[in-house]
Amino acid sequence: MKKLFLISCALLSSLLSVAQKEADPVVMTVANEPITRSEFEYNFNKNNTEDVVDKKTVREYADLYAIYKMKVRAALDAKMDTISSFQKEFRHYRDMQIRPLLVPEVVIEQQCQDYYNGMLEMLGGKDLIRPAHILVMVSQKASPQEQEAKRQLADSIYNAIVQGEDFERLALEKSDDTQSAREGGALPWIGPGNTLQEFEDVAYSLQVGEMSKPFLSPVGYHIIKMLDRKQLESFDTLHPQIHRFMEQRGVHERLASNALDSISKKYAGKYTTEQILDIETERLCNENQELKYLVKEYHDGLLLYELCSTQIWEPAKTDTLGLEKYFKTNKKQYQWDTPHFSGMMFYCKNQEDVKTVKKLLSKEKDDSKWISLVREHYNKDSVMVRMDKRLFVKGTNNNVDALVFKVKNTEIKAIDGYPYVGFVGKILKKGPAKWTDVGAKVIQDYQKHRENEYVEKLRKQYPVVINEEALSTVNKH
């Protein structure tokens, strides 16, 4: 009987394992690491939305994802995840996702409810009001004569409105509260205790559309027009705004810190804060698959960047011999139909400098030294010559068209203070003479070339096996 029970348990365990595999089958393995359908679907659906320009099929994306995972594997094998800069950046992002989740939702909701109850208590059954006002400011040191003049000014504004003048226009022109004046005198919604008592007493006495006579407060004479009144909206209506407000005020962050302190006490000081966050991250990711893949996505994305930067992009950018060789081999792809001018336009304060600058630069064959030469000979103490060195396309610069390409009826445009224009360089009719003429494009292409070579190397190192049957069920189960 006992033997039969053990066989039954083993069979049940086997069936559960099969059912689990069927529920989330492996769509591919990369370097013997299984990639489940749920992980693949998460990345495919997130990075292949309808608004993506180059939308991929599931099969096309599988090939790209395999390359992605090979690079991540290579980064892990190179122990790039142990680099302090990587760990710091990853934990910063990880903490942004995990810390808020340490606070039970019920605690956050109670904070929001308490804030709403505080607003109700502040209102004490009164409305929220939205007044507009015109302020005639009176200095605390004003003499009786000055105060009387201000009172008369406020009265004249009030009488003008009574006789048909526009309140908003007079607020813009006459009010000393310049901030509200720009809005026609309109103030934000306020409640009891939000403003001067004298202002509040008069404002709450007005119905919508009514206007007060001028009255004095500690800052001067006011004329109030009531724009609107309302009861405070329900908690459910205001909940999203309160939630955002609490987050902006750092309330959620304080709650997270408190929760972390409580968790730390449970561990009786056995772990550091980072170790506790590591433990909590694992727990929360086990409970929430989307969170798990989100954290993994950022972790792997940082590794990918580190790998590409150190192994491909930066080495390619500084490999001048490789760039030159790549350019010569692929020179045809950089040809153009429109003539270009490779050189420098320069602008001088003195006319005689045009010839001397041109002569100086013409002797130097290495154009990368031109700017430093001009600085050394002409711009040591003050800027006598302004420079613009680059590749110019015919038809895109007036001065190049007029002086270099001799385009008729083209006006030369000098720079203020530098009326004399010169140039040095050469016309390239069919294409660039050297790789630096189109440096950015060559670097970009060479980086891609080096990346392709690197991927081919990874293919030999890390085997990829795609389960076509499981892949065909992506987003169809």
Side-chain angles (χ1 to χ4, degrees):
M1 187 72 178
K2 184 177 180 181
K3 184 177 181 181
L4 181 62
F5 175 74
L6 291 173
I7 292 172
S8 298
C9 287
L11 179 60
L12 178 61
S13 175
S14 176
L15 289 172
L16 287 173
S17 177
V18 170
Q20 187 175 14
K21 288 180 181 177
E22 288 179 350
D24 194 10
V26 173
V27 297
M28 69 174 73
T29 59
V30 179
N32 299 319
E33 178 190 351
I35 311 299
T36 61
R37 181 174 62 191
S38 60
E39 178 184 344
F40 181 85
E41 280 181 339
Y42 171 85
N43 286 277
F44 174 78
N45 294 330
K46 183 172 183 179
N47 299 307
N48 204 45
T49 55
E50 291 298 330
D51 56 349
V52 170
V53 176
D54 188 16
K55 193 171 171 63
K56 303 294 183 185
T57 64
V58 170
R59 192 61 187 78
E60 289 169 338
Y61 190 80
D63 292 332
L64 294 175
Y65 196 66
I67 293 171
Y68 169 75
K69 297 300 286 188
M70 283 191 291
K71 291 177 180 175
V72 172
R73 182 72 260 164
L76 288 170
D77 287 348
K79 301 190 182 303
M80 291 182 178
D81 58 332
T82 64
I83 298 172
S84 59
S85 58
F86 166 83
Q87 292 183 345
K88 182 179 179 181
E89 188 170 358
F90 169 67
R91 281 176 170 157
H92 172 71
Y93 174 81
R94 187 268 322 263
D95 292 354
M96 287 173 59
Q97 303 301 318
I98 299 301
R99 284 174 65 90
L101 298 177
L102 299 178
V103 184
E105 191 63 30
V106 65
V107 175
I108 294 175
E109 288 304 304
Q110 188 58 54
Q111 289 284 329
C112 293
Q113 185 67 61
D114 290 346
Y115 183 80
Y116 180 79
N117 293 341
M119 289 195 294
L120 283 176
E121 185 178 349
M122 178 194 73
L123 286 170
K126 289 186 175 182
D127 288 341
L128 285 167
I129 58 174
R130 185 146 192 255
H133 82 138
I134 297 172
L135 170 65
V136 177
M137 193 175 291
V138 179
S139 170
Q140 294 287 334
K141 298 179 181 179
S143 65
Q145 294 82 2
E146 289 171 331
Q147 183 167 330
E148 175 60 20
K150 295 290 187 178
R151 185 191 67 78
Q152 291 180 12
L153 175 57
D155 284 344
S156 69
I157 295 171
Y158 173 78
N159 290 330
I161 297 170
V162 170
Q163 292 169 15
E165 289 288 341
D166 184 66
F167 184 98
E168 288 77 13
R169 184 180 66 80
L170 287 176
L172 179 63
E173 294 177 358
K174 304 292 185 180
S175 180
D176 290 327
D177 180 358
T178 54
Q179 186 170 351
S180 68
R182 290 193 291 268
E183 304 297 326
L187 295 167
W189 287 97
I190 60 173
N194 290 153
T195 184
L196 298 166
Q197 190 61 50
E198 293 84 353
F199 188 98
E200 182 181 315
D201 291 343
V202 174
Y204 268 98
S205 71
L206 300 173
Q207 296 303 312
V208 175
E210 289 184 341
M211 183 177 69
S212 74
K213 291 182 177 180
F215 65 93
L216 185 63
S217 83
V219 296
Y221 287 96
H222 305 264
I223 303 166
I224 297 177
K225 180 181 178 181
M226 185 53 59
L227 300 177
D228 203 359
R229 303 177 66 123
K230 66 177 180 180
Q231 287 287 310
L232 183 67
E233 293 91 334
S234 68
F235 174 72
D236 289 342
T237 301
L238 293 179
H239 180 269
Q241 297 174 43
I242 295 174
H243 198 281
R244 282 195 301 272
F245 175 75
M246 302 286 277
E247 191 171 9
Q248 290 166 357
R249 290 284 297 272
V251 174
H252 293 176
E253 179 58 30
R254 289 197 294 275
L255 291 173
S257 295
N258 293 339
L260 199 55
D261 289 341
S262 298
I263 295 170
S264 182
K265 288 176 183 177
K266 289 180 183 179
Y267 286 117
K270 293 180 181 178
Y271 302 109
T272 65
T273 299
E274 286 299 340
Q275 289 172 326
I276 291 172
L277 282 167
D278 288 338
I279 294 169
E280 290 301 305
T281 298
E282 185 175 0
R283 177 182 69 81
L284 290 166
C285 286
N286 287 334
E287 295 173 359
N288 185 329
Q289 190 177 75
E290 187 167 346
L291 176 66
K292 171 186 172 182
Y293 292 144
L294 178 64
V295 172
K296 185 175 178 61
E297 177 188 13
Y298 196 79
H299 176 274
D300 291 354
L302 279 175
L303 280 177
L304 180 69
Y305 179 84
E306 189 71 31
L307 178 87
C308 290
S309 181
T310 58
Q311 302 298 312
I312 302 168
W313 299 332
E314 288 304 318
K317 192 192 302 184
T318 56
D319 181 12
T320 53
L321 291 177
L323 285 162
E324 187 173 357
K325 181 180 178 182
Y326 181 82
F327 170 72
K328 288 179 178 178
T329 304
N330 300 277
K331 197 170 183 178
K332 286 184 178 180
Q333 73 184 52
Y334 300 107
Q335 290 182 336
W336 48 58
D337 297 325
T338 305
H340 289 49
F341 169 65
S342 177
M344 183 165 76
M345 302 300 297
F346 55 88
Y347 304 82
C348 304
K349 285 192 171 185
N350 303 316
Q351 188 172 17
E352 60 269 21
D353 287 340
V354 174
K355 287 184 179 180
T356 57
V357 170
K358 189 177 183 73
K359 185 177 179 181
L360 172 70
L361 300 183
S362 296
K363 289 179 179 179
E364 178 54 65
K365 301 301 181 184
D366 185 357
D367 60 7
S368 65
K369 298 179 180 178
W370 286 355
I371 291 176
S372 59
L373 276 173
V374 172
R375 285 175 179 163
E376 181 183 348
H377 287 81
Y378 295 93
N379 295 345
K380 262 188 177 180
D381 300 319
S382 61
V383 180
M384 303 300 292
V385 179
R386 296 278 295 273
M387 298 165 283
D388 184 6
K389 182 184 180 300
R390 53 193 167 99
L391 191 69
F392 300 87
V393 184
K394 185 178 180 180
T396 60
N397 184 286
N398 272 44
N399 296 339
V400 172
D401 287 349
L403 297 174
V404 179
F405 293 113
K406 310 296 184 183
V407 178
K408 293 180 179 180
N409 302 321
T410 303
E411 181 184 355
I412 295 175
K413 295 183 179 180
I415 299 174
D416 287 346
Y418 301 83
Y420 306 105
V421 186
F423 70 92
V424 61
K426 58 184 175 181
I427 296 175
L428 304 173
K429 291 184 178 181
K430 293 184 178 181
K434 51 187 183 300
W435 78 267
T436 51
D437 290 333
V438 281
K441 176 62 175 163
V442 174
I443 289 173
Q444 183 182 11
D445 292 345
Y446 185 55
Q447 286 174 330
K448 185 63 180 175
H449 170 73
R450 288 279 293 264
E451 184 174 357
N452 290 337
E453 289 184 334
Y454 188 75
V455 168
E456 289 307 312
K457 177 183 173 184
L458 294 182
R459 288 188 196 280
K460 297 174 183 177
Q461 186 176 356
Y462 301 118
V464 174
V465 179
I466 295 180
N467 183 345
E468 301 289 353
E469 183 180 352
L471 192 67
S472 67
T473 66
V474 168
N475 290 337
K476 295 179 181 178
H477 53 94

